[in-house]
């Protein structure tokens, strides 16, 4: 971790409608003979539509999403560390806060010096697109409470990808990156397509008109190779790659007609949704193994939800180190006598999740501060 930068959550949830409005709403309102408007389909509030989204404003809101608690609050954050993370000045941070507060998107207050507290207004509705089930359709997978559903969905972004987004200088490269993330979530994670495809028309109609030509889009796409696996198909390549597929979907056929398609993929640990599935499964395996070891000392109970939360908060590498440390400590204290070991055993039996969390947090803090 570079000195002076903020420590972000490992997996950050951002509403798809927020990615869409920051990337630029699609000006191509007539699709397949039907008029459709993203601002209505996604239910974007007027506060977000009124903003002219500069690169620093986008990155500042993404930073707040990467630091806030489950109710949208940040009790303490350094303006200097924000500026270092986003690659801008402290004055820019301060000016953006005033603009966002005036629009009713955030509330903030200065605590002392360069430290502030921030609250994201209407956090569930505007930043996660979560609503009560009476007004929603698609159940939100990352929220266990039965009363919460998502209308347009949200995208889960790894801290690795978020740091790369926050390092982008060009506003148009950032717009394209956010649109690619939204498309990947919509097409790959929801519709189960094999890849996320953006046609020339889709890209052209979200970018400013002065940059909406193919050569400029190629240059923008090249700068996204640090985040995505990028492939560009033009003219004959489009036909050879997509038209020869059997039972090709009508939506893909429409994209192919442009003769210019950008394919965006997230590989390995950069795909937050797949990574979380892997981490949850391995965390369950780690606790099953630890429980077998612990049987000779005592018994404990832990919900899968708590196991998953530990894995997502600290990562399975830190979780594994924490469990190994507990096993080592139990062996060591057993040599000192029964009572010494039983002190740890009673703490684990009382609340194993909290006990493991305490040790895992120490390892995690050391890792990210290194």
């Amino acid at each position: 971790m570079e000195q002076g930068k903020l420590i972000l959550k490992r997996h950050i949830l951002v509403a798809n409608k927020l990615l869409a409005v920051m990337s630029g709403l699609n000006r191509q309102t007539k699709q397949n003979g039907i008029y459709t408007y993203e601002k209505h389909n996604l239910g974007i509030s007027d506060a977000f539509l009124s903003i002219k989204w500069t690169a620093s404003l986008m990155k500042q809101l993404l930073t707040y999403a990467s630091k806030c608690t489950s109710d949208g609050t940040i009790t303490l954050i350094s303006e200097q560390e924000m500026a270092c993370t986003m690659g801008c000045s402290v004055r820019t941070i301060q000016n953006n806060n005033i603009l966002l507060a005036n629009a009713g998107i955030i509330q903030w207050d200065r605590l002392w010096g360069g430290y502030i507290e921030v609250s994201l207004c209407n956090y569930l509705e505007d930043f996660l697109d979560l609503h009560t089930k009476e007004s929603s359709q698609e159940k939100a997978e990352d929220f266990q409470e039965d009363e919460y559903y998502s209308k347009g969905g949200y995208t889960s972004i790894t801290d690795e990808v978020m740091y790369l987004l926050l390092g982008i200088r060009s506003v148009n490269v950032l717009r394209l990156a956010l649109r690619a993330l939204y498309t990947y979530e919509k097409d790959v994670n929801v519709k189960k397509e094999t890849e996320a495809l953006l046609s020339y028309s889709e890209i052209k109609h979200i970018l400013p008109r002065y940059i909406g030509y193919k050569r400029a889009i190629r240059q923008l796409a090249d700068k996204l190779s640090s985040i995505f696996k990028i492939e560009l198909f033009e003219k004959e390549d489009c036909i050879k790659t997509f038209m020869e597929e059997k039972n090709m979907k009508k939506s893909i056929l429409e994209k192919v007609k442009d003769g210019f398609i950008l394919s965006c993929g997230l590989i390995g640990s950069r795909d937050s949704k797949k990574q979380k599935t892997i981490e949850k499964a391995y965390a369950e395996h780690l606790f099953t193994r630890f429980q077998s070891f612990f049987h000779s000392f005592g018994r404990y109970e832990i919900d899968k939800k708590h196991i998953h939360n530990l894995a997502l908060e600290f990562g399975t590498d830190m979780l594994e180190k924490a469990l190994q440390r507990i096993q080592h400590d139990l062996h060591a204290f057993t040599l000192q006598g029964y009572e010494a070991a039983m002190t740890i055993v009673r703490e684990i039996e009382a609340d194993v999740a909290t006990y493991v969390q305490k040790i895992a947090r120490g390892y995690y803090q050391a890792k990210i501060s290194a």
Side-chain angles (χ1 to χ4, degrees):
M1 172 65 59
E2 188 177 325
Q3 195 66 25
K5 283 195 173 184
L6 292 169
I7 297 167
L8 308 180
K9 291 184 288 192
R10 293 187 64 253
H11 296 278
I12 301 113
L13 303 182
V14 181
N16 287 329
K17 64 181 180 180
L18 189 52
L19 295 178
V21 74
M22 290 194 295
S23 69
L25 295 180
N26 194 337
R27 297 188 301 274
Q28 188 181 23
T29 55
K30 190 175 183 180
Q31 299 176 24
N32 300 325
I34 300 171
Y35 284 94
T36 180
Y37 299 85
E38 283 189 332
K39 66 179 181 180
H40 299 314
N41 292 342
L42 295 173
I44 301 168
S45 84
D46 291 339
F48 292 85
L49 293 170
S50 67
I51 297 287
K52 181 180 179 181
W53 291 101
T54 63
S56 68
L57 272 171
M58 287 188 252
K59 291 194 284 186
Q60 192 151 330
L61 217 56
L62 290 171
T63 299
Y64 287 150
S66 304
K67 289 294 292 180
C68 70
T69 59
S70 59
D71 63 355
T73 58
I74 305 169
T75 55
L76 180 72
I77 190 167
S78 162
E79 291 174 320
Q80 184 60 55
E81 288 183 353
M82 282 185 66
C84 182
T85 305
M86 292 166 47
C88 66
S89 68
V90 170
R91 175 61 66 186
T92 297
I93 300 291
Q94 295 169 344
N95 290 340
N96 286 347
N97 277 336
I98 293 171
L99 192 154
L100 292 169
N102 288 341
I105 294 174
I106 69 166
Q107 293 178 337
W108 68 279
D109 192 20
R110 187 165 303 283
L111 300 175
W112 68 86
Y115 291 90
I116 60 174
E117 62 178 343
V118 179
S119 177
L120 305 181
C121 301
N122 301 314
Y123 178 65
L124 289 179
E125 294 85 354
D126 287 339
F127 288 85
L128 294 182
D129 198 8
L130 288 179
H131 309 263
T132 55
K133 62 169 64 176
E134 289 78 14
S135 60
S136 309
Q137 298 172 352
E138 180 185 341
K139 190 165 183 179
E141 123 187 5
D142 284 286
F143 284 77
Q144 302 299 321
E145 298 88 344
D146 290 338
E147 67 268 26
Y148 288 123
Y149 286 71
S150 179
K151 285 182 177 179
Y154 49 73
T155 293
S156 184
I157 304 171
T158 65
D159 56 351
E160 179 185 4
V161 170
M162 186 60 76
Y163 280 121
L164 292 170
L165 291 173
L166 297 179
I168 294 174
R169 296 278 185 176
S170 165
V171 65
N172 291 317
V173 174
L174 187 54
R175 284 185 181 126
L176 185 55
L178 297 184
R179 179 59 62 159
L181 284 170
Y182 169 41
T183 304
Y184 186 87
E185 171 64 22
K186 181 165 57 80
D187 290 355
V188 178
N189 288 333
V190 176
K191 296 181 181 178
K192 306 303 179 185
E193 305 284 2
T194 56
E195 56 191 327
L197 303 176
L198 282 164
S199 70
Y200 172 61
S201 294
E202 288 175 297
I203 300 171
K204 179 178 71 173
H205 286 103
I206 65 165
L207 293 174
R209 287 180 173 85
Y210 69 84
I211 202 169
Y213 53 95
K214 293 179 181 179
R215 182 181 176 185
I217 292 171
R218 284 191 212 100
Q219 292 173 345
L220 296 179
D222 287 342
K223 295 176 182 177
L224 293 181
S225 58
S226 62
I227 299 176
F228 301 95
K229 178 187 176 184
I230 296 287
E231 290 185 271
L232 186 59
F233 301 95
E234 296 188 70
K235 299 177 181 177
E236 290 82 3
D237 285 341
C238 280
I239 297 172
K240 291 178 181 177
T241 304
F242 300 104
M243 294 295 284
E244 294 176 359
E245 289 186 13
K246 294 180 180 179
N247 303 318
M248 185 172 60
K249 294 184 179 179
K250 185 178 180 181
S251 59
I252 296 179
L253 179 60
E254 288 298 319
K255 295 175 189 282
V256 171
K257 287 180 180 179
D258 274 353
F260 183 102
I261 290 181
L262 186 66
S263 170
C264 308
L266 290 167
I267 302 173
S269 62
R270 292 188 179 176
D271 187 327
S272 178
K273 190 167 186 177
K274 291 178 182 176
Q275 185 65 18
K276 286 194 289 188
T277 301
I278 294 169
E279 289 178 358
K280 288 175 182 178
Y282 189 60
E284 288 180 29
H285 166 72
L286 290 176
F287 268 92
T288 298
R289 195 170 65 188
F290 177 74
Q291 197 165 38
S292 297
F293 161 81
F294 192 75
H295 273 164
S296 59
F297 295 92
R299 300 289 185 273
Y300 67 79
E301 293 183 1
I302 183 170
D303 292 335
K304 279 188 178 180
K305 181 174 73 173
H306 292 138
I307 294 174
H308 296 165
N309 288 343
L310 286 169
L312 298 183
E313 183 177 0
F314 304 114
T316 52
D317 53 344
M318 297 297 102
L319 187 57
E320 187 166 20
K321 284 186 72 173
L323 292 173
Q324 289 173 347
R325 164 72 182 277
I326 295 170
Q327 290 181 229
H328 176 271
D329 288 349
L330 283 170
H331 278 306
F333 280 110
T334 300
L335 297 176
Q336 297 177 24
Y338 176 79
E339 275 305 317
M342 287 308 295
T343 301
I344 297 179
V345 170
R346 282 190 285 268
E347 284 190 55
I348 293 172
E349 287 180 328
D351 192 345
V352 63
T354 300
Y355 191 86
V356 174
Q357 183 186 50
K358 179 175 62 177
I359 297 173
R361 179 173 287 117
Y363 283 124
Y364 184 63
Q365 291 291 343
K367 174 184 176 182
I368 59 184
S369 299

